[in-house]
Amino acid sequence: LRLICTTTAMQRKNIGASGPEKYTEAFIKKQIEEFNLGKRHLANMMGEDPETFTQEDIDRAIAYLFPSGLFDKRARPIMKHPTEIFPEQRKIQWGEDGRPFHFLFYTGKQSYYSLMHETYEKLLNVEKYQEELIAQDLPLEKEKRNLAGSRWLTKIELEEMLLEKLSDDDYSRFIQLLQKLMALPGSDIEQKYIQKFSREVPVQMQKVVIEPLQYDERGVAFSTGEGKRKTARATAVVYDNGTGKMTVNGRDILHYFPVLQDREQLLFPFQFLDRIGKHDTVCTVSGGGRSAQAGAIRLASARALRSFVTEKEVEFMRQAGLLTVDPRVKERKKPGQEGARRKFTWKKR
Amino acid sequence: PRLMQVRWSRYNPSFMEPEVNKEFYQKPLEELTEEEKENMELKAVRPIKAAPPSLSSSVFSDPMISKFTNMMMRDGNKVLARSLMTQTLEAIKRKQLEKYHKAPEDEKETIECNPYVIFHQALKNCQPIIGLSNITKGGKTYQVPIPLKDNRKRFLAMKWMITECRENKHRRTLMPEKLSQELLLAFNNEGPVIKRKQILHKMAEANRAYAHFRWW
């Protein structure tokens, strides 16, 4: 196919692919001034005080003045501070004579290698400190750092910090070095440096509200629970003072689940809490296959049992994996393949 | 391991494995070791994966037996695999009981009747200690003896047992019968599976000269 209508730009052959546009500092400064002026004009237009006009007010004003029906939120008109819109870029790394400023410029990843050098220096410092302590016969104290509350920087965050692309290998090496540094007993002196590379994980643990027991007409305590697994949805009502009978969709479990594995799963929560002969259960279940229905009922009865049991035992149930919804579902079939993973038969010709 | 894993899972990497054993939770705090205490602290904060359907806290569920059942399974037919497994254990029990009742008084104590114990001991006897791996050096591929990890040893023992029972049998014998026969032979350190393990050991001993090719 030969292109017939061409422009002069397409006919020039020697254009190389230029990278992302480079913004000069003066350009960014001008953008910031324009943004601030525009903010004041906008506040004036909306009849609000220009001094106390926050970003949320700006967003609301823009959405009001330029209503857009586009689906993608990123395609709608935005007015944000220029530092958020224009990505941070590196200034030119070499002077007028063409000589680069940083001594590791010709490695290609100067900030990454300089970071590795710095971290290794800290490691050597810590080792020297340890040796000093040993020489003075002082005990090596190791405080237990709380592992649970913090995580290391992700690769993307590190890339943003260093303003240069990293490979997976580089990133994992850096994390290994940090872990090694943290594992040494004398690393308290370098704690500030390590904290630059760790983030707090908000200890979620949304306090799940355990419902109180309800009482039916005969005075027997009961509680309900819902569970799901793949496409199966189940509800279970667990009654107190029972003989351990279980009914599913009006039929007995021996009838409904002929397979031993499914029955084991149904009884798992009760067996874990040593309450096999004490509760009666009535369940309804729909959807899914035989194993999915069993898993759904297991989750539903575990949730219902939470109201009968102490908080500590609820925590034990959670650690045994009885209270988590299984997120595994059937993987979709992809085009160009026969199934989710299986490819078509490879033919040589 | 690579950062961008090709095999992914639906769970976030921060999810931890569930601990199903009831006795673990009833132990008082003093008996735990340092590692276990750290583990407990971590578990209190991190989310935990759901227990898979093959795992349960009952006394009858055994991780080794479930692994073996999964390896015997074909086309996802877990029902059939599990029934074959239970029939095998029953067959072992029957054979041992026959031997027990026929044996004279003083030998009765030495005969092991628990099929689980026999299964575990048989598989343990079949596990190879070293394995061979192909290392290419200077254009030629050599079989180099390497130490094996525990998982790999267990896997090889189970795999050999299953392939042995599927192939080297008479057309009319059923799997439980053949498996029980092989397990009893392996329990007494006889039988084709043990022979295969010993052949592997001899090959490794023969290629001892190339052991320095290993670099890990």
Side-chain angles (χ1 to χ4, degrees):
Chain A
L1 285 171
R2 251 202 294 162
L3 288 169
I4 303 172
C5 5
T6 50
T7 54
T8 38
M10 286 189 337
Q11 279 161 359
R12 269 161 60 192
K13 286 183 198 172
N14 284 336
I15 314 173
S18 51
E21 298 164 36
K22 310 246 189 261
Y23 314 110
T24 47
E25 266 195 59
F27 174 75
I28 301 268
K29 265 195 199 151
K30 199 168 140 232
Q31 293 292 317
I32 297 181
E33 280 168 24
E34 285 185 7
F35 173 75
N36 287 327
L37 269 180
K39 202 164 90 169
R40 296 183 75 90
H41 278 303
L42 194 61
N44 235 346
M45 271 195 271
M46 301 298 287
E48 306 216 14
D49 184 15
E51 304 296 325
T52 55
F53 205 53
T54 56
Q55 186 60 44
E56 289 160 1
D57 296 327
I58 301 180
D59 291 332
R60 258 185 285 137
I62 297 286
Y64 172 70
L65 291 170
F66 303 99
S68 140
L70 295 174
F71 183 76
D72 196 352
K73 303 270 192 269
R74 292 173 295 182
R76 298 183 185 174
I78 337 168
M79 179 164 164
K80 288 214 180 332
H81 194 85
T83 41
E84 288 172 43
I85 301 185
F86 299 105
E88 263 190 63
Q89 278 170 354
R90 273 206 184 140
K91 311 171 198 122
I92 305 223
Q93 302 285 320
W94 52 90
E96 277 180 5
D97 55 349
R99 202 155 165 267
F101 296 132
H102 197 81
F103 73 106
L104 287 172
F105 176 77
Y106 288 114
T107 57
K109 317 179 220 175
Q110 61 174 53
S111 16
Y112 169 69
Y113 283 117
S114 65
L115 183 72
M116 290 292 272
H117 275 298
E118 261 182 55
T119 322
Y120 194 67
E121 224 185 276
K122 306 281 180 201
L123 195 83
L124 291 174
N125 273 350
V126 168
E127 283 181 359
K128 233 182 10 178
Y129 177 68
Q130 266 184 334
E131 278 165 24
E132 277 171 22
L133 283 184
I134 292 175
Q136 296 167 10
D137 284 328
L138 285 169
L140 289 164
E141 292 151 12
K142 186 172 182 190
E143 291 162 22
K144 278 266 171 82
R145 248 148 260 115
N146 195 10
L147 297 160
S150 58
R151 62 166 176 88
W152 294 118
L153 278 186
T154 56
K155 183 166 164 245
I156 304 171
E157 285 172 0
L158 193 61
E159 278 184 356
E160 273 169 35
M161 214 167 101
L162 298 177
L163 290 178
E164 97 190 338
K165 292 270 178 217
L166 290 177
S167 83
D168 296 338
D169 214 13
D170 294 336
Y171 172 70
S172 55
R173 271 198 182 267
F174 178 60
I175 297 291
Q176 277 169 15
L177 198 60
L178 277 178
Q179 278 168 349
K180 195 169 158 186
L181 181 56
M182 204 162 93
L184 291 177
S187 62
D188 303 322
I189 35 175
E190 306 297 348
Q191 202 55 24
K192 265 193 223 158
Y193 184 73
I194 298 178
Q195 269 164 13
K196 267 196 265 175
F197 299 107
S198 69
R199 296 271 175 271
E200 290 271 320
V201 167
V203 176
Q204 11 94 10
M205 292 303 119
Q206 309 137 339
K207 280 293 166 188
V208 186
V209 179
I210 304 179
E211 288 163 11
L213 290 171
Q214 299 155 17
Y215 291 87
D216 72 349
E217 312 116 4
R218 287 172 299 158
V220 177
F222 73 93
S223 108
T224 39
E226 282 170 7
K228 64 172 179 168
R229 171 91 213 270
K230 283 193 193 171
T231 334
R233 301 284 180 268
T235 47
V237 186
V238 176
Y239 294 94
D240 210 355
N241 295 349
T243 44
K245 274 195 283 198
M246 287 184 78
T247 324
V248 181
N249 283 359
R251 290 147 78 183
D252 189 34
I253 47 166
L254 203 48
H255 223 282
Y256 198 82
F257 290 118
V259 182
L260 177 64
Q261 182 185 306
D262 304 334
R263 276 174 277 151
E264 236 181 11
Q265 287 297 293
L266 294 191
L267 289 168
F268 184 4
F270 299 100
Q271 205 267 344
F272 187 76
L273 299 167
D274 289 323
R275 282 163 180 253
I276 296 189
K278 299 183 192 166
H279 294 282
D280 255 343
T281 325
V282 176
C283 328
T284 45
V285 66
S286 64
R290 61 147 238 272
S291 192
Q293 286 187 341
I297 303 180
R298 181 186 94 180
L299 183 59
S301 44
R303 280 186 177 162
L305 277 173
R306 278 184 310 191
S307 337
F308 287 96
V309 142
T310 55
E311 264 188 40
K312 231 184 173 183
E313 298 204 295
V314 170
E315 180 59 27
F316 289 157
M317 274 216 287
R318 184 193 76 99
Q319 287 190 9
L322 278 169
L323 297 174
T324 350
V325 178
D326 207 326
R328 303 179 291 177
V329 283
K330 191 163 169 163
E331 201 176 315
R332 73 161 273 203
K333 175 196 170 324
K334 284 109 194 170
Q337 291 176 3
E338 195 174 316
R341 297 282 168 116
R342 171 161 163 81
K343 323 283 185 277
F344 288 124
T345 323
W346 180 75
K347 296 204 182 93
K348 198 157 178 174
R349 40 190 79 85
Chain B
R2 294 188 285 175
L3 243 138
M4 292 292 125
Q5 314 263 338
V6 175
R7 263 189 306 177
W8 49 272
S9 89
R10 292 278 307 183
Y11 291 106
N12 200 10
S14 61
F15 273 66
M16 307 193 64
E17 299 292 327
E19 169 67 57
V20 181
N21 195 6
K22 247 198 300 188
E23 267 113 68
F24 179 77
Y25 295 112
Q26 280 153 8
K27 269 199 285 190
L29 273 170
E30 295 89 29
E31 283 181 21
L32 303 172
T33 57
E34 283 288 324
E35 276 180 27
E36 284 185 1
K37 279 189 189 150
E38 278 182 32
N39 219 3
M40 290 274 283
E41 277 174 29
L42 208 54
K43 275 197 173 175
V45 202
R46 293 276 177 85
I48 307 220
K49 298 185 191 176
S54 47
L55 197 61
S56 130
S57 72
S58 78
V59 279
F60 301 111
S61 69
D62 187 16
M64 198 82 138
I65 301 259
S66 349
K67 193 57 119 186
F68 198 78
T69 332
N70 285 343
M71 286 179 75
M72 267 210 298
M73 173 165 65
R74 267 193 172 155
D75 300 325
N77 199 346
K78 182 88 137 221
V79 179
L80 186 62
R82 192 148 170 176
S83 68
L84 288 176
M85 195 71 217
T86 37
Q87 282 168 32
T88 317
L89 295 170
E90 199 193 317
I92 295 180
K93 182 85 185 189
R94 275 183 201 273
K95 287 185 187 168
Q96 290 297 90
L97 277 179
E98 245 189 79
K99 260 186 14 188
Y100 184 81
H101 290 302
K102 281 191 196 158
E105 281 300 323
D106 40 331
E107 279 182 30
K108 277 199 177 176
E109 285 164 2
T110 50
I111 296 181
E112 182 59 56
C113 273
N114 189 354
Y116 291 96
V117 170
I118 293 187
F119 180 81
H120 284 263
Q121 191 57 43
L123 282 184
K124 221 173 169 184
N125 291 349
C126 292
Q127 284 179 10
I129 308 178
I130 11 170
L132 292 171
S133 112
N134 302 347
I135 297 190
T136 323
K137 193 150 173 172
K140 281 211 290 189
T141 340
Y142 300 99
Q143 298 274 346
V144 177
I146 48 164
L148 293 173
K149 285 196 186 155
D150 283 329
N151 282 343
R152 179 83 184 145
K153 289 180 194 169
R154 280 188 283 247
F155 171 76
L156 279 175
M158 293 198 259
K159 180 95 186 207
W160 288 342
M161 185 64 78
I162 295 175
T163 27
E164 176 62 44
C165 296
R166 277 182 183 164
E167 287 155 24
N168 298 354
K169 61 177 174 124
H170 184 64
R171 191 178 58 88
R172 295 290 295 261
T173 42
L174 296 168
M175 180 71 157
E177 206 192 293
K178 175 75 180 172
L179 234 195
S180 53
Q181 214 178 18
E182 291 299 330
L183 283 169
L184 285 168
L185 286 176
F187 180 67
N188 300 327
N189 271 320
E190 302 149 352
V193 195
I194 301 282
K195 207 171 154 192
R196 186 165 171 177
K197 169 184 99 152
Q198 280 161 358
I199 290 174
L200 180 65
H201 282 175
K202 282 187 197 148
M203 289 272 290
E205 187 60 39
N207 284 7
R208 207 179 148 136
Y210 302 128
H212 66 281
F213 281 170
R214 179 173 66 99
W215 64 83
W216 64 86

